[in-house]
């Protein structure tokens, strides 16, 4: 093992785990990762919960204790109470987030609220409904009832005004599913507008935090596919460059927005910067180094949320050589321009990825609802 994770942390990158399950909580694994692997936060999404809760739900295992990896008793209680499947999912997921938040509370206190955070996402079926997203965000914040929670809101067009409204109410937000530079600027604008609303309402801006989850690997997956279809030497030379270029230019946008006069006024009111969070950092193409999206996206004031495999790979053989974003903007812009010259539409790619991202989370949520509903029926007490 190297000290790569410590070096990454020392460079100003907050290391968050992109996974959560009840087994990870109750086994002590999460606490161990905090103590030994420099993990200072946790992100969840509908796919993560679907995987965690559905592992064993509805399967004919011999031992009830094994079924559902720790969810069996709660599911039995919920079935006895005859709750709806939507209520059951929210009771289960918020319980996990609450427990994880308690484990991370010392980190939250030590970093003055910057880290020690756990994210939970609004129902993905609400991604295109602003008012419903705001109502759900308020409900989730109330249900979890922990100061170190971040409510995840997708960066859809309908999500943008919801971000402003929720931040304006003093609720901390993780903006998710950001793929494009234009949308990222809109997200930062929505955050600043929310802070301005909170300030006008007399709220303490120092207590409001936010991260903006900019997705990385999926950009390479889609663009590399298109480069492969072109098949020229020029196209092959651009493989594996788009995602890093996109993320690095996002950091440039972050520096510009949080160096502006508009931000300076909020900074005087003790507001916190909305940190860029590198999401989807697990490498999909085996031809690339498995720590590519960690090693090459090092800059102060960022968060990198990693699946455990990427966390382990970074600990074992990550190469943290200092800031790997500074001085890259010109080359990053050139790489994206070269893609356009080959006929690859940036706007088409990022819109496709946003649409697919929302759809994938919605599908995972529906799968989770269906498997949980079947389990509630199985566990329901017989009448009479």
């Amino acid at each position: 093992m190297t000290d790569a994770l410590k070096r990454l942390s020392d460079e100003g990158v907050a290391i968050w785990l992109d996974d959560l399950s009840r087994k990870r909580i109750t086994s002590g694994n999460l606490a161990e990762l905090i103590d030994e692997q420099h993990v200072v936060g946790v992100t969840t999404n509908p796919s993560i919960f679907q995987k965690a809760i559905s592992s064993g739900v509805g399967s004919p295992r011999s031992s009830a204790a094994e079924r559902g990896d720790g969810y069996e008793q709660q599911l039995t209680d919920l079935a006895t109470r005859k709750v709806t499947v939507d209520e059951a999912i929210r009771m289960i997921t918020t319980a996990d987030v609450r427990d994880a938040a308690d484990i991370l509370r010392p980190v939250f206190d030590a970093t003055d609220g910057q880290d020690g955070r756990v994210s939970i996402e609004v129902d993905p079926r609400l991604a295109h409904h602003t008012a419903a997203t705001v109502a759900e965000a308020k409900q989730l914040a109330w249900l979890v009832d922990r100061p170190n929670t971040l409510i995840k809101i997708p960066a859809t067009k309908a999500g943008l005004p919801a971000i402003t409204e929720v931040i304006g109410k003093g609720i901390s937000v993780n903006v998710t599913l950001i793929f494009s530079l234009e949308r990222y600027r809109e997200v930062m604008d929505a955050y600043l507008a929310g802070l301005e609303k909170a300030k006008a309402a007399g709220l303490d801006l120092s207590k409001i935090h936010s991260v903006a989850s900019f997705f990385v690997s999926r950009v390479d997956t889609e663009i590399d596919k298109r480069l492969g279809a072109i098949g020229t030497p020029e196209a092959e030379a651009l493989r594996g460059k788009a995602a890093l270029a996109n993320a690095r230019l996002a950091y440039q946008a972050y520096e510009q927005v949080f160096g502006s006069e508009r931000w300076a006024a909020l900074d005087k009111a003790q507001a916190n910067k909305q940190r860029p969070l590198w999401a989807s950092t697990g490498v999909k193409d085996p031809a690339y180094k498995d720590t590519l999206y960690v090693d090459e996206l090092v800059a102060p004031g960022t968060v990198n949320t990693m699946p455990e495999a990427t966390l382990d790979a970074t600990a074992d053989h990550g190469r943290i050589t200092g800031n790997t974003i500074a001085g890259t903007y010109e080359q990053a812009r050139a790489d994206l321009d070269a893609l356009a010259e080959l006929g690859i539409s940036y706007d088409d790619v990022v819109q496709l990825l946003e649409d697919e991202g929302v759809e994938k989370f919605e599908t995972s949520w529906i799968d989770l609802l269906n498997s949980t509903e079947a389990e509630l029926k199985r566990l329901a007490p017989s009448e009479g």
Side-chain angles (χ1 to χ4, degrees):
M1 291 291 239
T2 69
D3 285 329
L5 292 172
K6 183 180 186 304
R7 289 200 298 275
L8 186 63
S9 182
D10 289 344
E11 288 292 337
V13 180
I15 301 166
W16 291 8
L17 177 70
D18 193 26
D19 189 55
L20 186 64
S21 68
R22 190 156 299 178
K23 186 175 182 180
R24 192 182 287 284
I25 292 166
T26 57
S27 68
N29 173 260
L30 178 58
E32 185 178 285
L33 292 175
I34 295 166
D35 292 340
E36 300 178 7
Q37 300 281 62
H38 305 279
V39 168
V40 293
V42 169
T43 50
T44 69
N45 62 46
S47 297
I48 285 171
F49 277 129
Q50 193 273 335
K51 180 182 176 184
I53 300 170
S54 295
S55 60
V57 167
S59 68
R61 293 186 179 181
S62 57
S63 168
E66 291 178 338
R67 188 181 286 110
D69 284 330
Y71 298 100
E72 175 84 359
Q73 185 58 59
Q74 189 177 12
L75 281 164
T76 300
D77 292 343
L78 292 167
T80 302
R81 288 175 51 212
K82 299 181 179 179
V83 303
T84 66
V85 64
D86 287 271
E87 184 182 353
I89 293 299
R90 276 308 177 211
M91 292 300 100
I92 293 167
T93 57
T94 55
D96 281 357
V97 169
R98 190 180 306 114
D99 288 344
D102 288 344
I103 294 169
L104 279 154
R105 183 60 187 262
V107 176
F108 174 81
D109 292 336
T111 60
D112 198 24
Q114 182 91 320
D115 289 305
R117 296 273 175 176
V118 186
S119 298
I120 183 168
E121 190 149 348
V122 297
D123 186 329
R125 296 171 295 179
L126 305 178
H128 301 296
H129 304 280
T130 302
T133 293
V134 173
E136 172 94 342
K138 289 160 60 180
Q139 173 77 353
L140 284 174
W142 178 83
L143 276 173
V144 177
D145 192 28
R146 295 294 184 271
N148 49 332
T149 308
L150 289 172
I151 306 302
K152 290 181 83 171
I153 297 176
T156 57
K157 278 294 186 183
L160 294 172
I163 293 160
T164 297
E165 187 72 17
V166 172
I167 290 290
K169 293 182 182 302
I171 298 171
S172 295
V173 172
N174 175 345
V175 184
T176 187
L177 290 175
I178 307 171
F179 296 94
S180 82
L181 296 167
E182 179 184 2
R183 184 57 54 82
Y184 178 43
R185 285 187 177 275
E186 292 175 334
V187 165
M188 289 187 284
D189 180 73
Y191 174 61
L192 297 186
L195 289 176
E196 288 159 353
K197 286 190 70 167
K199 182 182 177 185
L203 300 182
D204 182 354
L205 300 193
S206 71
K207 302 297 185 186
I208 305 172
H209 288 259
S210 183
V211 294
S213 297
F214 201 87
F215 279 53
V216 184
S217 67
R218 294 186 194 183
V219 174
D220 270 344
T221 300
E222 180 60 31
I223 288 183
D224 283 358
K225 182 172 66 177
R226 299 184 186 206
L227 289 169
I230 295 170
T232 63
E234 293 82 6
E236 288 299 312
L238 287 170
R239 286 176 58 85
K241 293 187 176 180
L244 291 177
N246 200 37
R248 287 166 171 173
L249 291 174
Y251 191 79
Q252 180 186 36
Y254 159 77
E255 289 182 316
Q256 291 168 347
V257 169
F258 290 99
S260 67
E261 288 184 15
R262 184 184 182 190
W263 168 249
L266 290 164
D267 187 41
K268 286 180 182 177
Q270 307 301 311
N272 297 290
K273 292 179 180 179
Q274 182 186 56
R275 289 183 292 171
L277 179 151
W278 310 129
S280 182
T281 55
V283 173
K284 307 293 193 293
D285 190 332
Y288 303 149
K289 186 183 177 186
D290 55 2
T291 60
L292 175 67
Y293 304 126
V294 179
D295 298 351
E296 300 299 331
L297 290 175
V298 178
T302 59
V303 179
N304 196 309
T305 184
M306 312 176 201
E308 191 168 16
T310 303
L311 183 74
D312 290 342
T314 302
D316 184 64
H317 53 263
R319 291 190 70 251
I320 309 304
T321 57
N323 190 323
T324 48
I325 292 182
T328 64
Y329 302 147
E330 188 175 340
Q331 184 59 55
R333 176 53 61 191
D335 287 341
L336 292 190
D337 287 346
L339 291 169
E341 289 172 10
L342 289 175
I344 294 177
S345 168
Y346 176 87
D347 290 343
D348 178 67
V349 167
V350 294
Q351 188 59 57
L352 173 69
L353 291 173
E354 180 186 307
D355 293 343
E356 285 183 348
V358 172
E359 184 181 337
K360 285 176 182 175
F361 282 169
E362 186 172 335
T363 298
S364 293
W365 196 253
I366 291 171
D367 288 346
L368 176 56
L369 289 169
N370 290 339
S371 58
T372 302
E373 184 174 34
E375 191 73 346
L376 291 172
K377 288 178 179 177
R378 184 186 71 82
L379 294 168
S382 57
E383 298 295 333

